[in-house]
Amino acid sequence: MLTEVNHGLDARNIQTTATILPDGDIDLHTPSPNDAKVMPPTTPRGGIPVVAVVMARLVSEDKDCGIRPFLVQLGNGKEMCKGVTSKALPQRTGAHPVDHALTYFDHVRLPRSALLGSSEETKNRREAFLSSIHRVAVGTLFLSGCVIPSLKLAAFNAACFSQNRLVSGQDGKPVAVIDFPTQHIPILHAIAQYSVLEAFFVSAAMAFREQSIDPRVRHGIATAFKAISLGHFSKSIIAMNERCGWHGHYEHNQLLQIELEIRGASTAEGDIRVLAIRLASEILIGRYQIPPANDPSSPIARHEASLFSEAKDLLQRGAKGAHRSEGFNRDVLPLALPLVEAIGHRMAYEAAIDANIDSSLLNLYESGVMKQDSAWYVEQGGLSRGVQREMEAQAVDVLLPQMKDLLLASGVQPYSNAPMASRALWDDFVSGLEVFSGDAPSDLFPRSLREGRL
């Protein structure tokens, strides 16, 4: 339990205190209502005892010794422990219910053994704090990984709806809307995205197992994955949902619910814009480097290198090399997320090549990445807008006949229960709707008009 009502992105400034008492015990306390811990589910509603690692500011002999983790029992599954109060937050719109809460500590007495680690003051508080929350990097990667099955399910439902939805063609014969490029292109892009992201996810997870890699680099890889997975998802889910018409407005068709679920994941374990600012800044000032491109000549790798060259130039010219300055905030800060996305796109593309992902999926993924910064590929990549459109069209032409097989291979069909996805599900859904009927006479028109008299 780290973040507080008043301290989320600046979690190093949390105010919950853990004061060492004269007898050696520890007093855990929430100084004000706005210092309550926020989000973790702590109520006894589930009937399960709750134990938490609570981050608090260690105070010893009136001296602030920095933030430390403490092991705290919050409740026994029936009621909260003495001094601990949990206030359940309302259910998040559209999301599956999770018992998110605000949690307060009123001078909760803990044994000295509740302190996980040393009570000695650290010389470098920033590094000590980052070390104490190093598992956040793992959460950054693996929570973002839920984008992959979410995209799979959204693409499957949108494709099934589009296949079943018929309109009249020019000859009067019924045509499935999936046949129109405006309908199937977003779905195919989603398929390409989750295929490439899956390869990147495995590659990133393997990096976390490699202890020789600098922990900051591992977190950087996780940040790059989170940046592009959320970026791909946010664009694709809206594009697919819009093409489901009014069906997309309802949670029971799953796309809207998936979108709202992922919004929660987007802020968990670090807001992506803040993570991107930190990563881009530290790379630009040379604290560490992300693994370089396998093929620096590829268009996506050249795009990444060009953006970083531009940012470094701005850092030197406008910010005079200082990353904490008005010049940096003005010129470089807005580039942070695009820089990190450029890293992620390149790493994802390379991971997909290493995983032998189908070349047509790779080509479509590449064309989708280019569309995000089409101007650069025209100006410096030597690819006109027409060439970029043709690259996309050629990949789509190859993949369209394979769409059904690709969707079935995703393995999400058993998890699809959207009424719009099949006639059987739709009929079952309609049969369960609340029915209103009656024998009330219509009085919209006077009786004389109904009988044909003036």
Side-chain angles (χ1 to χ4, degrees):
M1 300 176 70
L2 174 61
T3 56
E4 298 173 352
V5 173
N6 268 5
H7 299 287
L9 301 178
D10 63 334
R12 286 176 59 194
N13 297 315
I14 59 172
Q15 296 300 304
T16 301
T17 57
T19 304
I20 298 178
L21 302 173
D23 63 0
D25 281 356
I26 295 170
D27 178 87
L28 183 66
H29 186 61
T30 302
S32 76
N34 284 331
D35 299 322
K37 297 297 183 182
V38 63
M39 291 305 279
T42 58
T43 74
R45 283 175 173 172
I48 301 173
V50 179
V51 176
V53 174
V54 179
M55 306 300 291
R57 193 168 295 281
L58 180 65
V59 178
S60 178
E61 297 180 350
D62 296 326
K63 187 176 183 180
D64 183 350
C65 298
I67 296 169
R68 297 287 195 281
F70 298 85
L71 189 64
V72 183
Q73 181 169 358
L74 305 181
N76 62 8
K78 297 179 181 179
E79 60 180 342
M80 305 301 293
C81 290
K82 183 178 180 180
V84 183
T85 300
S86 178
K87 294 185 177 182
L89 291 169
Q91 182 181 335
R92 285 169 40 219
T93 302
H96 288 97
V98 175
D99 219 11
H100 295 302
L102 302 178
T103 308
Y104 307 79
F105 304 101
D106 184 13
H107 296 290
V108 176
R109 199 175 184 94
L110 304 173
R112 183 63 173 264
S113 58
L115 169 61
L116 303 178
S118 171
S119 62
E120 298 297 322
E121 186 177 6
T122 56
K123 294 181 179 180
N124 189 327
R125 289 196 177 185
R126 178 180 181 276
E127 292 301 322
F129 172 71
L130 293 176
S131 176
S132 69
I133 63 168
H134 73 280
R135 296 296 295 177
V136 167
V138 180
T140 298
L141 175 63
F142 286 93
L143 271 179
S144 304
C146 65
V147 161
I148 296 169
S150 297
L151 272 178
K152 289 181 177 182
L153 184 56
F156 184 87
N157 285 353
C160 289
F161 166 79
S162 301
Q163 184 63 53
N164 296 329
R165 184 69 169 179
L166 304 178
V167 295
S168 296
Q170 292 183 350
D171 57 0
K173 296 180 180 179
V175 178
V177 297
I178 194 71
D179 292 341
F180 296 100
T182 49
Q183 198 77 9
H184 62 242
I185 286 178
I187 298 172
L188 287 171
H189 270 293
I191 294 172
Q193 288 164 0
Y194 70 62
S195 299
V196 171
L197 285 174
E198 205 159 28
F200 187 17
F201 183 76
V202 172
S203 172
M206 295 300 291
F208 269 82
R209 295 178 58 184
E210 184 53 66
Q211 294 302 308
S212 63
I213 298 178
D214 187 327
R216 298 172 300 177
V217 174
R218 293 202 297 266
H219 197 183
I221 294 171
T223 298
F225 177 85
K226 181 171 185 174
I228 66 165
S229 62
L230 292 176
H232 290 327
F233 178 84
S234 62
K235 292 180 177 66
S236 286
I237 194 69
I238 291 174
M240 290 187 289
N241 204 359
E242 285 177 345
R243 284 155 179 80
C244 293
W246 61 268
H247 291 275
H249 302 327
Y250 290 90
E251 295 176 33
H252 56 249
N253 282 315
Q254 296 182 288
L255 273 73
L256 181 60
Q257 185 177 53
I258 289 171
E259 180 182 358
L260 294 170
E261 291 278 14
I262 296 298
R263 285 192 183 185
S266 69
T267 55
E269 310 302 337
D271 179 274
I272 187 54
R273 289 194 178 274
V274 176
L275 292 177
I277 290 170
R278 175 186 167 192
L279 175 59
S281 300
E282 293 186 336
I283 292 175
L284 288 171
I285 63 178
R287 284 185 176 165
Y288 53 87
Q289 295 298 319
I290 295 296
N294 295 335
D295 179 11
S297 65
S298 72
I300 291 180
R302 288 171 54 209
H303 176 253
E304 174 196 8
S306 176
L307 291 191
F308 268 94
S309 177
E310 177 186 348
K312 288 178 180 178
D313 184 56
L314 288 170
L315 176 62
Q316 296 303 320
R317 286 193 296 107
K320 309 300 182 184
H323 71 289
R324 297 186 185 279
S325 65
E326 286 301 317
F328 184 89
N329 291 344
R330 176 182 180 273
D331 298 329
V332 183
L333 211 61
L335 299 178
L337 185 55
L339 286 170
V340 172
E341 287 178 331
I343 295 172
H345 292 148
R346 186 263 302 170
M347 295 189 76
Y349 185 77
E350 292 179 344
I353 291 175
D354 292 341
N356 295 316
I357 298 297
D358 182 270
S359 60
S360 297
L361 288 170
L362 272 171
N363 292 339
L364 185 57
Y365 180 79
E366 183 180 37
S367 74
V369 169
M370 288 180 178
K371 288 170 71 174
Q372 291 189 216
D373 194 2
S374 180
W376 183 91
Y377 288 96
V378 172
E379 294 172 353
Q380 301 189 45
L383 300 171
S384 68
R385 290 185 302 155
V387 169
Q388 293 178 45
R389 286 195 298 269
E390 183 60 24
M391 290 174 63
E392 178 185 57
Q394 289 182 9
V396 167
D397 289 343
V398 174
L399 290 171
L400 184 57
Q402 307 173 41
M403 179 188 286
K404 182 177 180 180
D405 291 337
L406 289 169
L407 289 167
L408 290 175
S410 70
V412 298
Q413 186 174 10
Y415 304 96
S416 172
N417 54 30
M420 70 175 183
S422 76
R423 174 57 61 183
L425 287 171
W426 172 254
D427 290 343
D428 185 59
F429 169 74
V430 172
S431 68
L433 294 176
E434 185 178 3
V435 178
F436 297 88
S437 61
D439 296 315
S442 172
D443 56 4
L444 181 61
F445 301 102
R447 183 175 180 180
S448 59
L449 289 178
R450 295 201 305 270
E451 295 176 352
R453 300 196 306 270
L454 294 178

